[in-house]
């Protein structure tokens, strides 16, 4: 395997890095509160970055999400590409791709996902050829900004629901500012996306994508800690010269690299058409367990400033803890990975 970015992937990453650095500033993030930065989302879409993933693949998306995570930019990039563009490209019919992909490329269509399968959503035929979904999902990230939501039912069939046709969308606040809401279906019409195996395909892609996002969140947290400890002095010398600080930062660096390399490997396997289920679980486990350690270290190395809710490093802490639990906590992921090993299905 070779993780060296292609020219297209590197160009997309550099462009994303510039846009995020210019627009996802501390002042703009503070002004956005818990909502999405609409101007930033428009800039990313105008630059063609969501659509570029069709050419750069899931590994290209991971590289872009690393740049987002470094600055904790509040846009539905990971959700709309993983649950929308990639899901439709890989599992949609020709008609669905022709109808949905143009909007997903230019950002006028935003898809999020009610994942993982909550086991509470049901699908039934209303007798007139339309499938109606029942049940509710307690929280769905970026639902307040989405035009569509991808919903798995209790049998893991995937249904694309127009948000405006849901019975209710009730805003909720999460640990991280992800514009989340509670989804109440109560007879909402659903459009089937994909067949057998589509749920597993989309879940693996989402886990890999959000692991890439966590790699960026951790890298950003660590960079802030390094900057702070290099200029903050104690006993007449920078904090960074103390061995305890160096060791804590080194551990955080190694954890961040582990998240990054497992996400890269999983994305590479996914793009190559290889079995990526085990690799996706491995990347997600590292993102959960190691990510939690890194953002705690980043906040700890800031000392008292790390407890300031308005300090930039605190956003990394909130994002890291949200990503720790999203799509399965470390214990749940390890149990699922153990199941694959026991069944002999892990490549």
């Amino acid at each position: 395997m070779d993780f060296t970015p292609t020219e297209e992937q590197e160009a997309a990453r550099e462009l994303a890095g510039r846009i995020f650095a210019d627009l996802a500033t501390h002042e703009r993030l503070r002004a956005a509160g818990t909502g999405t930065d609409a101007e930033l989302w428009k800039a990313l879409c105008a630059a063609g970055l969501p659509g570029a993933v069709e050419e750069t693949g899931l590994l290209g998306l991971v590289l872009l999400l690393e740049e987002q995570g470094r600055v904790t930019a509040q846009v539905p990039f990971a959700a709309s590409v993983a649950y929308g563009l990639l899901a439709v490209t890989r599992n949609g019919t020709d008609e669905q791709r022709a109808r949905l992909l143009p909007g997903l490329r230019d950002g006028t269509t935003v898809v999020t996902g009610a994942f993982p399968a909550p086991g509470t959503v049901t699908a039934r035929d209303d007798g007139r050829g339309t499938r109606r979904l029942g049940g509710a999902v307690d929280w769905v990230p970026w639902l307040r900004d989405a035009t569509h939501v991808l919903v798995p039912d209790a049998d893991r069939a995937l249904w694309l629901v127009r948000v405006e046709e849901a019975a209710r969308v009730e805003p909720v606040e999460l640990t991280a500012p992800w514009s989340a809401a509670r989804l109440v279906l109560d007879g909402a019409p659903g459009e089937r996306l994909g067949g057998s195996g589509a749920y597993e395909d989309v879940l693996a892609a989402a886990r890999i994508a959000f692991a890439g996002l966590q790699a960026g969140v951790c890298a950003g947290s660590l960079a802030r800690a390094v900057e702070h400890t290099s200029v903050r002095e104690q006993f007449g010398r920078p904090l960074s010269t103390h061995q305890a600080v160096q060791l804590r930062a080194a551990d955080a660096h190694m954890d961040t690299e582990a998240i990054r390399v497992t996400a890269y490997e999983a994305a590479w396997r996914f793009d190559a058409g290889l079995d990526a289920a085990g690799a996706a679980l491995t990347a997600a486990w590292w993102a959960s367990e190691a990510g939690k350690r890194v953002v705690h270290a980043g906040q700890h190395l800031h000392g008292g400033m790390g407890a300031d809710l308005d300090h930039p490093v605190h956003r990394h802490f909130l994002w890291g803890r949200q990503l720790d639990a999203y799509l399965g906590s470390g214990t749940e992921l390890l149990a699922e990975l153990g199941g694959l090993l026991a069944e002999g299905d892990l490549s």
Side-chain angles (χ1 to χ4, degrees):
M1 63 187 71
D2 184 1
F3 300 150
T4 304
T6 64
E7 290 184 10
E8 292 79 7
Q9 289 170 339
E10 188 61 40
R13 176 167 63 178
E14 290 179 359
L15 177 57
R18 290 198 298 271
I19 294 174
F20 284 127
D22 289 343
L23 295 181
T25 62
H26 177 56
E27 293 72 24
R28 287 178 58 84
L29 287 167
R30 183 164 51 187
T34 61
T36 291
D37 187 333
E39 182 180 343
L40 174 55
W41 179 240
K42 288 179 181 177
L44 292 168
C45 295
L49 289 174
V53 176
E54 291 179 274
E55 299 296 328
T56 62
L58 184 56
L59 181 54
L61 175 61
V62 166
L63 296 173
L64 297 179
L65 293 177
E66 275 193 85
E67 298 304 318
Q68 178 186 355
R70 289 179 198 277
V71 293
T72 60
Q74 291 170 204
V75 287
F77 203 146
S80 195
V81 176
Y83 298 125
L85 189 140
L86 285 178
V88 171
T89 298
R90 290 173 60 89
N91 298 285
T93 64
D94 290 342
E95 187 277 330
Q96 287 173 323
R97 287 193 287 269
R99 171 164 47 91
L100 296 169
L101 286 178
L104 287 165
R105 293 179 188 124
D106 65 21
T108 55
T109 299
V110 176
V111 179
T112 188
F115 274 62
T120 58
V121 175
T122 59
R124 61 176 177 82
D125 195 319
D126 66 358
R128 297 187 296 274
T130 300
R131 300 293 287 183
R132 300 283 175 177
L133 305 182
V137 183
D138 287 338
W139 66 273
V140 179
W142 308 111
L143 186 59
R144 281 180 263 164
D145 303 310
T147 57
H148 297 73
V149 55
L150 191 62
V151 182
D153 65 20
D155 297 321
R156 296 191 171 185
L158 295 182
W159 304 93
L160 197 60
V161 177
R162 293 182 63 86
V163 173
E164 64 182 16
E165 294 180 334
R168 292 194 306 283
V169 172
E170 303 165 348
V172 297
E173 298 300 338
L174 305 179
T175 301
W178 283 6
S179 295
R182 182 171 186 264
L183 176 68
V184 181
L185 295 162
D186 197 20
E191 176 185 357
R192 183 68 185 267
L193 183 71
S196 176
Y199 169 80
E200 289 76 13
D201 181 81
V202 173
L203 180 58
R207 280 174 166 161
I208 296 166
F210 281 96
L213 183 61
Q214 182 74 301
V217 169
C218 292
S221 175
L222 183 57
R224 292 187 184 280
V226 169
E227 180 182 8
H228 173 78
T229 56
S230 296
V231 298
R232 187 79 170 181
E233 292 190 354
Q234 186 181 56
F235 307 124
R237 58 193 180 115
L239 287 171
S240 59
T241 63
H242 295 276
Q243 187 178 48
V245 172
Q246 293 173 355
L247 292 174
R248 190 78 193 273
D251 286 342
H253 171 73
M254 293 305 296
D255 272 336
T256 301
E257 288 302 297
I259 299 169
R260 176 181 290 117
V261 73
T262 52
Y264 285 7
E265 179 187 4
W268 175 83
R269 292 187 64 86
F270 189 91
D271 289 338
L274 302 173
D275 181 10
L281 284 167
T282 302
W285 182 84
W286 275 103
S288 175
E289 292 294 300
K292 182 166 46 183
R293 292 194 295 266
V294 173
V295 295
H296 274 266
Q299 194 162 18
H300 184 201
L301 290 173
H302 277 77
M305 290 185 180
D308 182 358
L309 301 184
D310 194 46
H311 195 284
V313 78
H314 190 67
R315 278 195 296 271
H316 292 270
F317 176 78
L318 296 178
W319 278 65
R321 289 313 307 257
Q322 186 70 61
L323 286 163
D324 160 39
Y326 186 50
L327 299 181
S329 66
T331 303
E332 294 170 324
L333 295 165
L334 201 58
E336 193 174 339
L337 189 58
L340 285 180
L341 285 168
E343 295 168 5
D345 289 339
L346 185 60
S347 56

